[in-house]
Amino acid sequence: MQCSDAGGTSGAAGEAKGGSETLYLRRSVNLLAAISFITGTVVGSGIFIAPKGVLMNSGSVGLSLLVWALCGVLSTFGALCYAELGTTFKKSGGHYTYLLETLGPLPAFLRLWVEFILVRPAVASVVCLAFGRYVVEAFFSPCPAPSVLVKLIGILGLTLVVAVNCWSVTLASRTQITLTFIKMFALVLIIVPGIWALARGQTENFQNAFDSGTLTLNKLPLAFYSGLYAYSGWFYLNFITEEVIDPNRNIPLSIIVSMVTVTVCYVMVNVSYYTVMTGEELLVSDAVAVTFAGRALQGIASVIPVLVALSCLGALHGGFFVAPRMLFVGAREGHWPALFSMIHVRRHTPLPAVLLLYPLVVLMVARGELFQLVNFASFSRWLFIAMATLGMLIHRYRFPQIPRPFKVPQAIAVSFTVVCFFIVGLSLYSDPWNTGGSCAITLSGVPVYYLTVHRPRLPPSWMTAINFCSRQLQILMEVAQQEVKTY
């Protein structure tokens, strides 16, 4: 699918490059930045919107807390598997790279296809909608905020994030670190009053915590999907492996520190929610953190929506920093038009890959409904994560002699893979409409792969038009191919 000059610099792009330094993505992500990218993308809108979905599908306060803890353990197991993959395969690209190296080009292409047609726009649009809701909610409370205004504010936040990621890798990295500290402060601000109230004996909301007449087995996977959505982001550092300083040390260490911290914080945040609010009150709230602040933080309640909005912005920013790297690597491997493997000649950012996501997310924000988007995106995401860890186990068996600087215990890898496949399979029964649609979109990539990648069968006139458009866009955006092999 090489639809542009693979040689790189042409026209104005070459002139802009001039005699500047060598063009490639630098190793600039240190340990603190790595921890910030994981923590900052995991802690986002999820902890402020997913409690409703977890409680709604689990049916009781006690079981919902158990789901939160198990989701943290499961995500940590997955993160450890990806630490092994990230230190075994030094390429960026995350899921795509690991599927390519272990299971072959078709699964890798399908992951790339569904990521940018469905998963990434859906996940980013959920965060955008949460950001817009928390910005607008404070001005309209107790009345519901206008949905059009929520979407417009969400798109405004999205535009800011895209601009930062197009402008500078260094600026994007520093922005992520700053937003991570802000969002951790927001979590502490929720945890402290809730735990203090619990310590004073305010335990009535936890009486008969596991009593439920609404739990059914078919809803339980959806509870896990909501919880796992809140933890999603533990795999993002693997998307930028080539930009991490000392990946053999910093990838496993940052993953372990981040996931332990996040799991403890998430469980404590939910305990705080239930200490101050009943389960029924949580279910009728569209902005759980705002409702909580109105009860427990009356003096500074107005600060919470601002902090939550910044937290959502941090998650959106982290996703837009790392996800285009998957597209960048896929284009470099010939699975996407070559234009998307190019870098801005002065700013050294993967500009075309970042910009591709923008209109897709805007379209999904304009039409999306929050919880449907979570279920819609989760099926494909978790299917391919399970396939990646299955590929890791197969690769271990086939190539035991390959060095693995970090090796996760076999029991953890097998348990994680089995549980993922179980959740994915059961979700087809639980929510056949959304998960079936997600499955269909994933499989739609098969004919695209055989028509454009495996043995290209596009008419010559189409290829000529595509190559012409690619060259013009390359000149317009001032981008060129990477000049140094970074893996």
Side-chain angles (χ1 to χ4, degrees), residues 230-448:
Y231 282 98
S232 63
W234 49 262
F235 41 75
Y236 279 152
L237 189 64
N238 297 70
F239 285 33
I240 57 172
T241 302
E242 294 168 34
E243 297 170 69
V244 176
I245 299 168
D246 191 7
N248 287 347
R249 170 183 177 270
N250 287 341
I251 288 179
L253 186 57
S254 59
I255 282 173
I256 292 168
V257 171
S258 301
M259 292 312 300
V260 171
T261 302
V262 169
T263 302
V264 172
C265 286
Y266 273 15
V267 173
M268 292 178 71
V269 164
N270 279 277
V271 169
S272 293
Y273 284 156
Y274 290 127
T275 302
V276 176
M277 305 161 60
T278 65
E280 291 75 15
E281 288 170 336
L282 189 145
L283 286 175
V284 299
S285 173
D286 287 328
V288 178
V290 172
T291 305
F292 174 88
R295 302 280 182 83
L297 298 166
Q298 293 179 0
I300 55 170
S302 59
V303 175
I304 290 295
V306 176
L307 293 176
V308 174
L310 289 173
S311 179
C312 295
L313 199 64
L316 185 66
H317 178 273
F320 260 82
F321 184 91
V322 298
R325 269 63 175 179
M326 182 193 289
L327 188 64
F328 175 86
V329 174
R332 193 173 65 188
E333 296 288 341
H335 284 179
W336 211 259
L339 174 69
F340 296 100
S341 66
M342 296 183 184
I343 304 167
H344 194 276
V345 294
R346 291 188 304 278
R347 307 202 176 279
H348 295 180
T349 59
L351 188 69
V354 175
L355 289 179
L356 175 67
L357 279 173
Y358 183 70
L360 299 176
V361 178
V362 169
L363 286 174
M364 203 162 282
V365 168
R367 65 168 299 277
E369 200 284 321
L370 199 137
F371 286 107
Q372 288 182 357
L373 288 174
V374 172
N375 295 339
F376 200 58
S378 292
F379 171 82
S380 290
R381 166 178 276 180
W382 284 97
L383 172 63
F384 284 108
I385 287 174
M387 289 175 64
T389 55
L390 175 64
M392 180 189 77
L393 293 169
I394 294 171
H395 192 267
R396 272 189 187 181
Y397 177 77
R398 292 181 60 201
F399 306 103
Q401 74 284 0
I402 289 181
R404 292 174 173 85
F406 178 87
K407 192 170 183 179
V408 69
Q410 186 92 347
I412 288 179
V414 172
S415 300
F416 177 77
T417 304
V418 170
V419 170
C420 284
F421 276 120
F422 176 76
I423 292 175
V424 166
L426 200 55
S427 69
L428 281 170
Y429 173 74
S430 303
D431 189 4
W433 180 254
N434 282 313
T435 54
S438 179
C439 183
I441 291 174
T442 302
L443 294 177
S444 71
V446 175
V448 176

Side-chain angles (χ1 to χ4, degrees), residues 174-196:
R174 290 174 179 171
T175 301
Q176 187 65 17
I177 292 172
T178 303
L179 290 172
T180 299
F181 279 108
I182 291 172
K183 64 180 61 182
M184 294 309 293
F185 175 70
L187 292 188
V188 170
L189 208 56
I190 292 172
I191 290 170
V192 170
I195 299 301
W196 179 252

Side-chain angles (χ1 to χ4, degrees), residues 8-9 13 17 23 341-345 474 478-482:
T9 311
K17 179 174 174 288
L23 188 63
S341 66
M342 296 183 184
I343 304 167
H344 194 276
V345 294
Q474 181 183 349
E478 297 185 334
V479 294
Q481 292 283 0
Q482 183 168 280

Side-chain angles (χ1 to χ4, degrees), residues 15-36:
E15 293 172 13
K17 179 174 174 288
S20 65
E21 56 186 319
T22 307
L23 188 63
Y24 67 101
L25 295 175
R26 269 65 176 168
R27 287 194 182 275
S28 58
V29 179
N30 58 22
L31 180 61
L32 177 60
I35 292 172
S36 297

